[in-house]
Amino acid sequence: MINKKLLLILLPLASLTACVKDNPKETAYGAPQEIVFDHPIVAASRSKAISGSIEGTFPQSQDFKVWAFFSDGAFSRWDAPGSGQLYMDGVTVSYNPGIDDGTPGSGAWNSNPSYWWPKNGKLTFAACAPATIAASTVNYAEDGLSINGFTVDSDPTKQIDLMYSERSFNKTESTGTNATYDGVDIVFNHALSSIKFKARANYNYGGEGAKTFITGVRLVNVYESGNFKENVRTDVQTSYSSNPAWRGQSSQKDYQATPSTLNQEIGSSIVDVESGDIDLILLPQQFDHGSAGHVMIEVTYKQGVSGETKTVTIDLVNGNDTDDDGVGDDYFYDGATRITGWEPGKRYTYTLTFGRYKILFTPTVVSWINQDNDAIEI
């Protein structure tokens, strides 16, 4: 598992009048109540968020930004006129082990300087991660988060898991009293797409010459930049619903999915293709880029310990020409519906099945949401 930096973005809220900060709500013990945030949760699995592939606890070393909106009564809309106003505006919060609720691994995220709960009214929160996203590219409004000109790092060992939060409505306190803080609940969703590879050989002839070794996998003609919109439904303001999307994708790159030293023997059982420090988290997009070409998967392999290295390129729009008739053949092994692109928040696992003459390519999709993709035969 690589140690990638999470992109968790919390939505900014400008601070209220000085009287709110000077006269914050007090706990039952008379101490002012600080606004703190519990360990963020990843919505797809309800597991704790971590760096890289987001499969466990959110890393305490990571910061995120917070926005909060103040309203006298129950939340009605993000930019409501009158009493409604921003309370926190792109405030960075960091893990503080000193916020102790008396349980192992306790602690929470807070800001420096601190923000305090107002005596009256309610706060509605939103967020995104990581805190390192340039403020000039990020905006939060009634329809949620937008990020312009986001670019996936060309080095796959440095890619981040960009995330946006659902809204946390009508909060009046951090759970607990005195030194007991559970913190405001924040639920994050993945904004990018995760790509994984598996492989197997579907024959066994025996002998050294029959062994199959995979030496490399890369994705070709992949858009690296685009604009993100959360698209929160504005007709339903008191509960969270959104339709996240990417637009304006541009600038094609090739992304290596395996280390340069890969020489992995493939047997009859499906195994993960060794990726080392690489964990591809890429921009959602359609595979057909028009005149700019198509997204493709390039696989290098050899049959036999000393065999000649071969390269197969699979066109994810037209398939690959497996019978040399000049026409792209369907690369799906099991006849499943062809996947035409990657969507936000989904993990796509491509299984490469090495046959005597072909590789069968099998994509699947799961909800990170996982998506298993149908077989490519090589």
Side-chain angles (χ1 to χ4, degrees), residues 229-250:
K229 286 284 290 185
E230 186 179 357
N231 293 320
V232 174
R233 286 183 58 181
T234 56
D235 60 329
V236 182
Q237 289 281 2
T238 56
S239 62
Y240 181 82
S241 179
S242 67
N243 183 29
W246 288 86
R247 298 287 185 269
Q249 292 93 331
S250 63

Side-chain angles (χ1 to χ4, degrees), residues 75-90:
F75 177 87
S76 59
R77 52 181 281 194
W78 188 265
D79 57 353
S83 64
Q85 54 188 301
L86 289 176
Y87 191 81
M88 300 174 70
D89 186 2

Side-chain angles (χ1 to χ4, degrees), residues 54 155 201 274 361:
I54 314 304
D155 182 347
E274 296 171 2
F361 173 78

Side-chain angles (χ1 to χ4, degrees), residues 69-371:
F69 192 84
F70 173 85
S71 55
D72 286 333
F75 177 87
S76 59
R77 52 181 281 194
W78 188 265
D79 57 353
S83 64
Q85 54 188 301
L86 289 176
Y87 191 81
M88 300 174 70
D89 186 2
V91 175
T92 296
V93 295
S94 305
Y95 179 76
N96 182 353
I99 300 173
D100 189 3
D101 65 3
T103 61
S106 60
W109 277 254
N110 67 343
S111 60
N112 184 17
S114 297
Y115 274 73
W116 309 94
W117 290 98
K119 278 190 172 182
N120 302 300
K122 302 176 185 292
L123 296 179
T124 294
F125 296 89
C128 89
T132 53
I133 298 178
S136 61
T137 68
V138 178
N139 183 59
Y140 197 85
E142 185 179 10
D143 59 354
L145 178 70
S146 63
I147 303 174
N148 291 324
F150 178 82
T151 299
V152 174
D153 200 301
S154 59
D155 182 347
T157 67
K158 297 179 180 179
Q159 290 166 356
I160 57 176
D161 190 353
L162 174 65
M163 303 181 78
Y164 62 96
S165 83
E166 301 177 9
R167 287 175 178 169
S168 188
F169 293 98
N170 298 320
K171 302 299 181 181
T172 59
E173 62 181 353
S174 301
T175 305
T177 58
N178 199 17
T180 302
Y181 294 95
D182 292 331
V184 175
D185 54 306
I186 296 293
V187 176
F188 284 102
N189 296 280
H190 304 279
L192 299 173
S193 302
S194 172
I195 314 299
K196 299 285 187 181
F197 289 92
K198 295 179 180 291
R200 73 179 182 94
N202 69 349
Y203 65 94
N204 183 13
Y205 294 104
E208 290 296 308
K211 290 183 178 180
T212 297
F213 296 83
I214 186 168
T215 58
V217 179
R218 70 170 181 160
L219 287 157
V220 179
N221 296 338
V222 178
Y223 283 139
E224 66 168 350
S225 298
N227 304 319
F228 174 77
K229 286 284 290 185
E230 186 179 357
N231 293 320
V232 174
R233 286 183 58 181
T234 56
D235 60 329
V236 182
Q237 289 281 2
T238 56
S239 62
Y240 181 82
S241 179
S242 67
N243 183 29
W246 288 86
R247 298 287 185 269
Q249 292 93 331
S250 63
S251 184
Q252 293 185 154
K253 293 284 186 180
D254 299 343
Y255 290 98
Q256 191 68 30
T258 54
S260 60
T261 57
L262 183 68
N263 189 36
Q264 182 180 358
E265 183 178 351
I266 302 300
S268 59
S269 299
I270 296 177
V271 296
D272 293 331
V273 175
E274 296 171 2
S275 58
D277 290 338
I278 297 172
D279 190 2
L280 289 180
I281 303 177
L282 302 180
L283 201 74
Q285 59 197 272
Q286 292 296 297
F287 298 146
D288 189 345
H289 295 175
S291 60
H294 300 158
V295 175
M296 298 183 287
I297 296 175
E298 182 182 276
V299 181
T300 56
Y301 69 102
K302 61 183 180 180
Q303 290 179 316
V305 174
S306 303
E308 177 186 358
T309 298
K310 302 177 181 179
T311 301
V312 172
T313 301
I314 299 97
D315 185 322
L316 294 186
V317 176
N318 295 328
N320 54 327
D321 186 8
T322 57
D323 53 10
D324 298 321
D325 63 355
V327 178
D329 300 313
D330 192 348
Y331 54 78
F332 289 115
Y333 180 53
D334 62 1
T337 302
R338 183 187 297 272
I339 293 171
T340 60
W342 301 320
E343 298 177 8
K346 293 185 178 180
R347 168 170 290 149
Y348 296 81
T349 301
Y350 293 90
T351 301
L352 308 171
T353 301
F354 292 78
R356 182 64 182 88
Y357 302 105
K358 298 179 180 179
I359 297 177
L360 294 175
F361 173 78
T362 306
T364 57
V365 186
V366 271
S367 186
W368 207 44
I369 302 167
N370 285 319
Q371 295 287 327

